[in-house]
Amino acid sequence: KYSICIVGGASRYTPDMLTMLCNQKDRFPLRKIVLYDNEEERQNLMGKYTEVLFKDYYPEVEEIVYTTDAKEAFSDIDFALMQIRAGRLEMRESDEKIAMKHGCLGQETCGPGGFAYGMRSVPAVVDIIKEIRKYSPDSWILNYSNPAAIVAEATKRIFKDDHKIINICDMPIAIMDMYANVLGKTRKDFEPRYFGLNHFGWFTNIYDAKTGHDYLPELREILKEPVEFKTEALFEEPSWKSTFNFMSQMIRDYDEYLPNTYLQYYLYPNKMYKKSDPDYTRANEVMDGNEKITYEHLEKVVELGRIKGSEYDVDPDAGCHAEYIVDLATALANNTKEIFLIITENKGSIENLDRNMMVEIPCRVGVHGVEPLTVGEVPTFYKGMIENQYAYEKLTVDAYMEGSYQKAMKALVLNRAVINTDVARALLDDYIVANKGYWPEL
Ligand code: G6P
């Protein structure tokens, strides 16, 4: 039985994660769960909610802890699941709106917003990992804090030999869920092949896990036109609608592979800009919608003191894409050698790209961690795109580590959503003011 800590435990993503843990108890049995956060009020609410939920659905868990104390949180854990958002949604709003003020697309991980968020997220993630390592040097750290590409580049450099830090993103999973939805299958029917960087990659094959049949050509045909997704509530969410905005156009415009939907921000930056409202960005949508609803819901459950059979009941059997985290933990614990798309050091897997690049590629996962599969060479267009974007990511981490304004500006100039030096400077100057107390001094 395992002991896990959810780092960023007060997040609006935690309730889904908790339901999924209840759902997966046979496969991944817990003895202890810890919620760690620096937001005491929300943390207490989430902790009390966990107690109610687990009383009804997971009484086997012996210990439920919610704390803002690192020692209490990280001693005696097998897995840390990291999902922090440095500066919360308020700073996401600032990232997105400053970008739009300067005529660039406003998005949390892509374009200049992702840069600003990266400079905030890296110090926060690094500090927490240091704390985790102080109290549990041997635990697996499954990190999916955003912007994952930049965070992964920083963790690689700062925790050089720590192969137990694994960086993973839910987006390829969500996209595969969408493919499964379109084909009337489940994600687990697939074995993907993929290359690129985080939020910047391409599926090259979607193999059937049993027969080896490649679904990619038929998926390309279907997805060339906007599709109506079947039932899944997931796809009703506005974020998902915008996530899939230009997917069909990307597929029509580029004649190979299936793109990660986030590429639309770089391939059609002007269109993405025009589709957004500079006064009401995704951060506002989330604050007024999903986030508000989630915490109201938690309060009601805590007030009632029970959940099973009530109007607030969860469906512990419902499919949930957060399940991939348990899949990953199970693979590490039980040496299943399943394939996951992981953000990891290239080390020759993509032959014509830098060996030290943090790429997102298929890896087998077992007790010894991740083992990348061979990808081979990638064609010129993709190589160029990836190298440019990775240079931007590297310079962002350099700027953070050296406190360098020049490097920060160069990073922004390399970002395909910025390019112009005057714009880069203006963005940087505004972000420096907005991020006081979060960023290192530049
Ligand atoms: C997907 C991405 C995440 C991102 C999230 C944003 O899951 O992979 O990287 O954080 O979408 O969702 P939101 O609802 O906050 O816009």
Side-chain angles (χ1 to χ4, degrees):
K1 284 194 175 185
Y2 303 105
S3 166
I4 68 163
C5 175
I6 302 184
V7 183
S11 152
R12 85 185 140 103
Y13 290 109
T14 300
D16 260 4
M17 188 68 85
L18 295 170
T19 307
M20 185 269 304
L21 290 167
C22 296
N23 180 6
Q24 303 288 324
K25 62 167 107 170
D26 294 338
R27 212 154 57 97
F28 189 68
L30 295 183
R31 65 182 161 83
K32 175 177 171 183
I33 183 161
V34 186
L35 305 185
Y36 174 76
D37 209 290
N38 56 0
E39 295 280 337
E40 200 159 1
E41 205 179 310
R42 284 189 170 185
Q43 165 86 335
N44 286 342
L45 177 61
M46 196 67 76
K48 287 186 187 132
Y49 172 80
T50 312
E51 286 169 346
V52 175
L53 179 77
F54 278 24
K55 172 169 66 73
D56 287 0
Y57 282 109
Y58 211 158
E60 302 86 342
V61 173
E62 293 149 29
E63 224 183 315
I64 299 171
V65 180
Y66 40 105
T67 179
T68 52
D69 179 71
K71 184 169 182 212
E72 191 185 2
F74 304 141
S75 307
D76 175 39
I77 53 163
D78 304 306
F79 291 91
L81 315 184
M82 280 190 76
Q83 49 168 26
I84 65 159
R85 182 186 284 287
R88 284 193 17 187
L89 286 165
E90 287 73 15
M91 287 309 291
R92 174 178 183 177
E93 182 184 15
S94 149
D95 295 345
E96 293 170 345
K97 289 190 175 166
I98 290 175
M100 294 207 77
K101 178 183 150 196
H102 294 285
C104 302
L105 59 93
Q107 213 278 329
E108 66 160 346
T109 65
C110 298
F115 166 83
Y117 187 13
M119 293 284 280
R120 251 191 343 268
S121 200
V122 167
V125 168
V126 167
D127 283 352
I128 295 175
I129 295 183
K130 284 185 179 156
E131 291 289 311
I132 297 176
R133 281 296 174 249
K134 219 190 279 173
Y135 303 111
S136 80
D138 236 12
S139 57
W140 290 102
I141 300 177
L142 313 185
N143 182 41
Y144 40 104
S145 306
N146 261 331
I150 291 166
V151 169
E153 172 65 19
T155 58
K156 172 198 78 178
R157 290 199 213 170
I158 296 168
F159 304 98
K160 265 193 211 81
D161 299 318
D162 194 335
H163 79 286
K164 293 190 114 177
I165 302 171
I166 298 181
N167 291 291
I168 187 162
C169 170
D170 66 334
M171 200 60 212
I173 300 287
I175 295 174
M176 281 195 286
D177 276 341
M178 183 267 287
Y179 296 158
N181 192 285
V182 167
L183 295 177
K185 304 209 161 278
T186 70
R187 173 180 16 108
K188 300 217 168 150
D189 294 328
F190 300 145
E191 251 198 19
R193 294 293 184 272
Y194 182 97
F195 71 83
L197 308 169
N198 177 241
H199 284 183
F200 203 92
W202 292 264
F203 287 94
T204 56
N205 311 86
I206 303 290
Y207 292 131
D208 186 294
K210 286 205 187 79
T211 65
H213 170 75
D214 188 0
Y215 292 106
L216 191 118
E218 60 202 86
L219 276 167
R220 274 189 56 89
E221 279 311 307
I222 298 170
L223 296 171
K224 268 184 180 164
E225 300 305 325
V227 289
E228 284 295 316
F229 297 112
K230 296 171 193 154
T231 55
E232 290 255 13
L234 182 67
F235 300 107
E236 300 299 316
E237 256 273 296
S239 75
W240 288 94
K241 290 217 172 94
S242 71
T243 298
F244 293 118
N245 264 332
F246 292 112
M247 184 178 60
S248 15
Q249 187 179 344
M250 275 194 283
I251 295 172
R252 285 195 304 270
D253 285 345
Y254 295 91
D255 62 356
E256 296 153 304
Y257 312 150
L258 280 169
N260 187 308
T261 47
Y262 274 85
L263 280 158
Q264 66 191 337
Y265 292 104
Y266 293 110
L267 296 174
Y268 311 94
N270 299 342
K271 279 189 180 157
M272 289 311 287
Y273 175 81
K274 284 196 196 114
K275 273 192 94 76
S276 324
D277 178 349
D279 299 318
Y280 197 80
T281 58
R282 175 68 188 150
N284 298 112
E285 261 176 37
V286 176
M287 283 191 268
D288 295 345
N290 204 318
E291 184 175 66
K292 199 156 163 274
I293 296 166
T294 301
Y295 294 101
E296 281 170 6
H297 179 106
L298 300 185
E299 268 165 26
K300 296 208 172 108
V301 171
V302 170
E303 222 174 270
L304 194 67
R306 63 183 178 84
I307 190 162
K308 204 177 205 165
S310 79
E311 60 180 304
Y312 311 109
D313 205 356
V314 292
D315 179 359
D317 296 323
C320 166
H321 89 268
E323 187 186 317
Y324 78 98
I325 281 293
V326 161
D327 292 341
L328 180 61
T330 312
L332 291 164
N334 299 343
N335 206 23
T336 66
K337 298 285 174 93
E338 259 171 275
I339 292 178
F340 293 83
L341 300 179
I342 306 264
I343 308 161
T344 190
E345 206 167 350
N346 182 24
K347 289 185 182 154
S349 189
I350 304 177
E351 286 161 15
N352 52 347
L353 290 175
D354 186 344
R355 285 186 66 81
N356 305 119
M357 189 180 276
M358 286 304 273
V359 289
E360 193 167 66
I361 46 173
C363 299
R364 288 207 183 275
V365 177
V367 281
H368 301 299
V370 306
E371 296 170 63
L373 301 188
T374 302
V375 174
E377 294 208 346
V378 297
T380 308
F381 172 74
Y382 304 93
K383 182 173 187 284
M385 289 276 290
I386 292 170
E387 283 175 334
N388 181 98
Q389 178 75 358
Y390 184 62
Y392 145 72
E393 291 166 2
K394 260 173 93 171
L395 278 166
T396 304
V397 175
D398 288 350
Y400 156 77
M401 291 179 83
E402 298 166 25
S404 164
Y405 184 98
Q406 263 288 310
K407 292 217 166 149
M409 193 191 74
K410 286 177 178 159
L412 280 169
V413 171
L414 279 178
N415 193 302
R416 294 178 61 83
V418 182
I419 291 176
N420 189 311
T421 309
D422 298 322
V423 177
R425 261 192 193 288
L427 280 164
L428 194 51
D429 292 341
D430 276 0
Y431 279 135
I432 288 174
V433 175
N435 284 277
K436 213 169 170 33
Y438 288 108
W439 280 17
E441 233 16 74
L442 294 190

